[in-house]
Amino acid sequence: MNSRHDILIVGAGPAGMAAAIELRRLGFAPLVVDEQSAPGGQIWRDVERPRPDALRNALGPDYAAGAEVAGQFRASGVDYRPGTRMWHIEPGLRVFLSQAGKAFVAEPKALLLATGAQERPAPIPGWTLPGVLTVGAAQILMKGSGQIPERPVWIAGSGPLPILYMRQLVAAGGQVAGYLDTTPRGAALRALPHLRSALRGWADLRKGLAWMRALKAGGLHIEKHVTDLVATGTERLEALSYRTADGKAHRVEAEVLLLHEGVVPSIHGTLSVDCAHVWDEAQAALRPALDDWGMTSVEGLYVAGDGAGIAGVRAALARGRLAAQGIAARLGREAGAAEVAGARAELRAASASRGFLDAVFPAPGSSVEIPDDTIVCRCEELTAGEIRAAARIHRGGPNQVKAVTRCGMGPCQGRQCGYTVNRILASAYGQSQADVGFFRIRPPLKPVTLQELAALDEGREAP
Amino acid sequence: MFKQLADPARRSFSVFIDGAEVSARDGETVAAVILRAPPHIARHTPVKETPRAPFCLMGVCFDCLATVDGETSVQTCLVEVQPGMKIERPVGKLRITL
Amino acid sequence: MTTPDVLIIGGGLHGLSAALHLARGGATVSLLERRFVGRHASGASAAGVRTLGRNPLELPLSMGAMQMWHSISDLVGDDCGFVAQGQLRVYETDTQADRELARVAALRAAGHENEVMIDQQTLRGLVPGINDKFIGACYAPTDGAADPHRTLVAFRAAAQQAGVQLHEGSGVSALSRDGSRWTIDSEAGRFSAASVINASGAWGARVASLVGEEIPMAAKASMMMVTERIEAMIRPVVSIVGRSLSFKQSSQGTLVLGGGIQGRYDLDREETTLDFRALAAGASAACELMPAVRGLRINRCWSGLEGKTPDLLPVIGPSTVAAGLYHVFGFSGHGFQLVPAAGAAVAEMVATGRPPATLSPFSAARFTTRDVAA
């Protein structure tokens, strides 16, 4: 049987939970689906689990705060289906989902995508070797499994997340072999104009600075403005090489390398239904164009959380509430003016330091050359050199290059190569990244088995 | 490569990766268990048969695909491990039994 | 102003093939493509190279094309991923068998020996794992399939090497006859050409209407599904009598499932939309054909926008209203196999001013003369 809910929320992270709680408060009965087996999203992954004190303390109070929201979410009585994937949205908001291998269809009046963000692909030579993971992955392992790297770990990249993770790792008894900071020279200077606005988000910034001070005091090996990072090994990661700001080349043995170059909104859902998107220069990423309530250019389709543009957990909670209020009004029930004003004020406050953070940790642009032997498309195993060769002949953009190379045709649907192809083509064509754009997104958004799809034909649309 | 922090409150049980017994804990994902079991990989790819391990742990890289209790190409980072689970690491293109 | 002998509108495979043959014949050729080469039907094709079950009116052209496919690298310098592993169409009832037998007998009587009937045992040998309910098939052993993108890359490269000037991102805004030549305005500037070829696919009738010629045409958006890669196990392309399914394994190992299941389209926006209810019927047919594939994952679905004529035959021939304009479009979802031969025939028609005999069923005049039922 198909879902009969008027409102479908996809994602049970901060934004999805906040929206569900608000909608319940306003008297609605939404359906919330999520890929994970428990609420929390990535930031509050597995947050409901009781933990030994040492691990709880290591993960810190901001993480622990998620338990309260998850508790309210559970207590709201919302219809919540974990382990459920959304794999297609058809025009008219017909949504295809699967739970435990069974496909079903929802036709809500309002659809809220609270599908969050993913880490920006950080392609370097050797990044497909076992032993190379993302920083976000390592943090998820720590939250979900109480699992940390066995030996001192190398961390490379840029952004607030590596700093947070290193602090958590060290607090949990792990060790960092070295932090290879790839933030380019001059970023801090370019961030200065944003400082005034950022001071309103001072608490966040101060936290980050304090973590970094503590890590340094603990003897953390940091290299600044690192370039030419290469992971090497045959069957697995064995060594790293990199160049430091003084121009010297280094080579070190390594068992685990964690990469991070910031996070980008999950846009596959909104791209797949042709929502209007804007290129966010500061974050070097696409985000859906949204109205004040988070509604996209497609009637009834809303986005909240980092999927609306990277702004962090506090903003996600506020955006979730606002989207819920917008959906409620759309379905004929206004939220109180005070509640709306409260959510808007919270969103403003939560977003204050974002411009500063974006400038301090800029995304690698099209001017940073990706070496020819770097794998760009992890699924089809295509290199930057192969993409460049295709781009010399085929000037029609990402979709043409995809057609002739197969880049982006694998199961990840371009999630790991889309922005890299964008960078390479921008450089090859002499265009801006905004003009080059992204792949056309082909359904299914997540692979679905032939029998799951076939069951829809036979009318077996359980559960 | 990875180790578990002590958590006595969490139930432990066995699962099998390519027939070898591996210890797992309540609530963790199959991908997390794979990262503790040498050679720490999920599969060799169907394209060039290169070894791959779970990479993103959040469902967006598809490098953690493995066979779980007979179901092929499962995103193991999205599946909670269960006692007695049988996990197989595919090599190359899938083989199906006609 | 650029002044080629021939200007081709449309950078799909038929435009490229005509361009290649014309340039090899000594003509100067410019090709205008509104988006990029292979943007619509050609890039979304299942790339079946099929004589099996074709309308007999197409067979003379199709048989010539099949010969060309078997030595396609002589034409374009690459094998286009073409493998002649046969095509077969399976049936499950005696009534269906009798009808197919009669059809193949009629073909043979007309001198076409491309199809044979095979029994269940032979069928199982060719398609291990096929559902027992299918009792036999018609089989075209020299048919096969190619790789659509590789074919596009090869035809493009060959055409360019032959001297064709390719302009992508260049739509045509106006077309007018000026004495003995055509003037064409486009985003790539103004062209003057002795002959114009309309190879505009789903938009072919719109280009014809630029000179006041009305050709009845609809469109179609055939949907495709592709699975993850599996070990090589299915050689021929398999379809089912009376069902919308074609089923094949690509050289990459993916299963490519199509067969004309229709999505929705918008000619103005140049977009198609998939219909998963309809695709579910295709998935269901695939599971029925070969139950062992049930657990395979579909990685990607797409559809292409293609012209569809009232009689499902293409329009290949001179314009009925304007001298020096030639059409080649409206292949109605089965034009891929005809590509090498149609291009050669178009080149011959432009050079001699008269369509060769193989093109006689495809004249645009068939829609404008009164004795053809409306």
Side-chain angles (χ1 to χ4, degrees):
Chain A
M1 211 184 74
N2 289 334
S3 141
R4 304 246 176 270
H5 297 78
D6 280 346
I7 305 168
L8 173 63
I9 299 174
V10 180
M17 289 194 292
I21 293 163
E22 182 73 350
L23 283 164
R24 290 295 295 144
R25 189 183 70 77
L26 293 166
F28 291 94
L31 171 65
V32 181
V33 300
D34 189 273
E35 278 189 335
Q36 308 294 334
S37 52
Q42 302 307 337
I43 188 116
W44 289 332
R45 179 101 164 207
D46 214 19
V47 74
E48 297 172 305
R49 178 175 306 284
R51 289 183 169 75
D53 289 349
L55 184 52
R56 195 175 54 241
N57 293 337
L59 288 169
D62 291 348
Y63 174 73
E68 195 189 320
V69 181
Q72 289 168 16
F73 174 71
R74 295 274 194 192
S76 74
V78 69
D79 187 349
Y80 163 58
R81 295 190 201 173
T84 303
R85 284 172 300 146
M86 172 185 73
W87 49 268
H88 183 49
I89 310 169
E90 269 183 14
L93 300 187
R94 177 184 276 178
V95 188
F96 292 74
L97 305 119
S98 283
Q99 184 181 25
K102 294 274 190 296
F104 64 104
V105 178
E107 293 181 289
K109 294 184 177 121
L111 168 62
L112 172 61
L113 297 182
T115 47
Q118 68 163 79
E119 289 174 278
R120 179 190 301 279
I124 59 163
W127 71 313
T128 53
L129 287 169
V132 183
L133 294 85
T134 69
V135 173
Q139 197 192 37
I140 287 165
L141 287 170
M142 190 167 164
K143 291 170 183 169
S145 285
Q147 181 161 320
I148 60 172
E150 228 171 336
R151 283 175 275 277
V153 61
W154 287 91
I155 297 178
S158 179
L161 188 64
I163 301 168
L164 171 61
Y165 174 69
M166 286 189 289
R167 179 199 149 273
Q168 292 171 326
L169 175 64
V170 170
Q175 284 179 286
V176 180
Y179 178 41
L180 306 176
D181 185 346
T182 59
T183 311
R185 205 184 281 281
L189 214 63
R190 281 191 294 277
L192 278 179
H194 300 275
L195 194 56
R196 226 177 119 100
S197 149
L199 287 175
R200 278 184 274 133
W202 176 240
D204 290 342
L205 295 179
R206 200 175 46 188
K207 235 178 319 193
L209 291 170
W211 295 339
M212 205 63 208
R213 256 199 317 277
L215 285 165
K216 282 178 182 164
L220 175 69
H221 169 206
I222 306 179
E223 294 289 355
K224 290 264 195 196
H225 315 308
V226 166
T227 57
D228 301 336
L229 183 64
V230 176
T232 52
T234 46
E235 290 289 296
R236 55 179 310 111
L237 177 69
E238 290 162 14
L240 302 179
S241 61
Y242 57 92
R243 193 173 297 281
T244 41
D246 56 9
K248 287 205 180 103
H250 303 261
R251 188 174 186 283
V252 291
E253 285 185 12
E255 185 187 54
V256 176
L257 167 67
L258 306 176
L259 298 171
H260 182 80
E261 290 286 357
V263 291
V264 292
S266 297
I267 47 173
H268 276 58
T270 47
L271 282 178
S272 76
V273 284
D274 278 340
C275 291
H277 286 71
V278 293
W279 180 265
D280 187 320
E281 283 294 342
Q283 299 188 348
L286 285 169
R287 59 178 159 79
L290 302 173
D291 72 9
D292 283 351
W293 305 97
M295 192 168 85
T296 64
S297 61
V298 170
E299 281 287 310
L301 174 54
Y302 292 75
V303 177
D306 271 359
I310 304 304
V313 61
R314 235 180 110 193
L317 291 168
R319 280 169 167 171
R321 273 161 60 202
L322 278 169
Q325 291 159 356
I327 289 168
R330 189 178 170 76
L331 300 185
R333 211 171 297 168
E334 297 285 342
E339 277 80 12
V340 173
R344 290 204 188 288
E346 177 64 12
L347 178 57
R348 262 194 310 279
S351 311
S353 56
R354 191 48 48 180
F356 180 76
L357 284 174
D358 291 342
V360 169
F361 301 114
S366 52
S367 58
V368 179
E369 191 84 339
I370 299 164
D372 270 347
D373 60 348
T374 312
I375 290 211
V376 166
C377 175
R378 298 176 68 97
C379 296
E380 295 291 325
E381 303 192 54
L382 294 157
T383 64
E386 287 168 295
I387 305 305
R388 278 195 192 98
R392 277 193 283 276
I393 300 166
H394 305 283
R395 316 293 288 181
N399 294 305
Q400 190 183 23
V401 168
K402 174 180 172 180
V404 298
T405 61
R406 302 186 60 80
C407 185
M409 286 192 184
C412 97
Q413 284 274 20
R415 288 174 175 89
Q416 292 297 325
C417 66
Y419 282 115
T420 314
V421 169
N422 171 281
R423 268 171 73 185
I424 292 174
L425 295 193
S427 165
Y429 296 163
Q431 292 178 356
S432 70
Q433 285 179 268
D435 286 343
V436 169
F438 207 82
F439 294 130
R440 192 173 302 112
I441 301 307
R442 303 294 197 187
L445 297 167
K446 289 284 177 102
V448 56
T449 64
L450 280 166
Q451 63 193 346
E452 276 175 274
L453 180 54
L456 289 179
D457 180 51
E458 291 150 19
R460 294 201 308 260
E461 296 158 356
Chain B
M1 194 151 75
F2 284 87
K3 65 177 179 192
Q4 286 182 318
L5 300 168
D7 189 350
R10 231 162 144 156
R11 183 175 61 131
S12 294
F13 47 80
S14 293
V15 298
F16 301 89
I17 302 184
D18 288 333
E21 195 169 342
V22 177
S23 167
R25 288 197 301 211
D26 249 356
E28 61 178 344
T29 62
V30 172
V33 180
I34 284 174
L35 284 168
R36 291 197 307 271
H40 312 110
I41 65 166
R43 60 172 184 154
H44 284 77
T45 62
V47 180
K48 294 184 178 167
E49 302 202 353
T50 52
R52 291 285 173 88
F55 175 73
C56 80
L57 274 296
M58 51 176 287
V60 294
C61 78
F62 292 79
D63 270 329
C64 67
L65 301 183
T67 303
V68 177
D69 286 341
E71 187 184 351
T72 50
S73 303
V74 171
Q75 285 188 279
T76 58
C77 75
L78 296 178
V79 174
E80 208 172 297
V81 70
Q82 303 295 335
M85 245 178 189
K86 291 185 175 57
I87 298 143
E88 293 153 275
R89 302 166 157 132
V91 176
K93 290 172 185 157
L94 276 184
R95 269 164 284 268
I96 60 173
T97 314
L98 295 174
Chain C
M1 181 144 80
T2 317
T3 57
D5 298 330
V6 185
L7 182 120
I8 297 178
I9 305 171
L13 281 167
H14 283 288
L16 290 170
S17 178
L20 169 65
H21 284 98
L22 282 159
R24 291 252 173 95
T28 57
V29 181
S30 292
L31 187 152
L32 299 176
E33 161 54 45
R34 179 167 48 183
R35 304 296 168 213
F36 56 79
V37 161
R39 164 67 184 87
H40 290 288
S42 297
S45 172
V49 178
R50 174 178 64 83
T51 62
L52 182 85
R54 245 178 217 280
N55 186 323
L57 290 171
E58 278 185 354
L59 277 178
L61 186 66
S62 178
M63 293 300 192
M66 194 52 88
Q67 281 190 1
M68 296 172 85
W69 275 106
H70 279 265
S71 55
I72 195 72
S73 55
D74 292 348
L75 182 68
V76 293
D78 184 84
D79 69 11
C80 298
F82 172 65
V83 276
Q85 293 182 329
Q87 292 224 4
L88 48 80
R89 180 172 296 176
V90 301
Y91 46 77
E92 49 187 310
T93 68
D94 290 337
T95 317
Q96 289 171 335
D98 291 346
R99 205 180 302 136
E100 292 304 309
L101 193 60
R103 188 182 60 79
V104 171
L107 276 181
R108 295 194 155 251
H112 299 304
E113 302 199 333
N114 55 313
E115 290 191 46
V116 294
M117 303 292 287
I118 57 170
D119 62 12
Q120 191 177 42
Q121 196 187 343
T122 314
L123 174 60
R124 287 189 197 168
L126 285 166
V127 191
I130 192 167
N131 193 324
D132 284 349
K133 71 199 286 187
F134 297 105
I135 56 172
C138 1
Y139 178 42
T142 61
D143 282 9
D147 177 327
H149 300 302
R150 206 165 145 183
T151 305
L152 274 163
V153 168
F155 272 81
R156 173 198 185 110
Q160 287 185 300
Q161 271 162 31
V164 173
Q165 297 295 312
L166 194 60
H167 302 274
E168 292 175 280
S170 304
V172 168
S173 52
L175 184 60
S176 61
R177 187 78 175 160
D178 187 12
S180 65
R181 292 183 76 86
W182 289 96
T183 300
I184 306 97
D185 287 316
S186 80
E187 287 156 82
R190 175 165 285 190
F191 291 78
S192 168
S195 304
V196 169
I197 294 171
N198 169 16
S200 313
W203 295 267
R206 291 196 179 182
V207 170
S209 73
L210 289 177
V211 298
E213 184 171 17
E214 295 309 319
I215 296 176
M217 197 167 75
K220 58 192 297 188
S222 298
M223 299 187 289
M224 308 282 300
M225 297 178 262
V226 63
T227 69
E228 60 192 317
R229 296 174 196 230
I230 57 173
E231 277 203 326
M233 54 169 244
I234 304 155
R235 293 163 62 84
V237 179
V238 186
S239 55
I240 309 179
V241 168
R243 299 280 288 272
S244 286
L245 176 73
S246 84
F247 183 107
K248 72 168 183 197
Q249 186 169 19
S250 73
S251 55
Q252 286 92 21
T254 59
L255 296 185
V256 181
L257 311 176
I261 316 158
Q262 293 303 300
R264 293 177 282 267
Y265 63 85
D266 182 331
L267 277 178
D268 295 320
R269 295 182 58 225
E270 302 174 34
E271 286 287 346
T272 60
T273 313
L274 298 172
D275 177 347
F276 266 80
R277 296 281 177 165
L279 277 175
S284 177
C287 294
E288 192 181 327
L289 182 75
M290 190 175 289
V293 304
R294 299 175 64 88
L296 293 183
R297 287 175 204 266
I298 302 163
N299 273 353
R300 204 159 34 89
C301 303
W302 71 91
S303 64
L305 198 36
E306 157 77 326
K308 179 175 131 185
T309 64
D311 57 9
L312 304 181
L313 291 173
V315 178
I316 318 177
S319 161
T320 56
V321 305
L325 172 64
Y326 304 89
H327 301 302
V328 53
F329 65 84
F331 287 83
S332 307
H334 46 268
F336 184 85
Q337 188 264 351
L338 300 174
V339 161
V346 168
E348 185 183 335
M349 168 168 68
V350 173
T352 63
R354 291 195 11 245
T358 50
L359 297 186
S360 57
F362 313 128
S363 154
R366 74 184 189 272
F367 298 120
T368 49
T369 46
R370 288 184 196 284
D371 56 1
V372 174

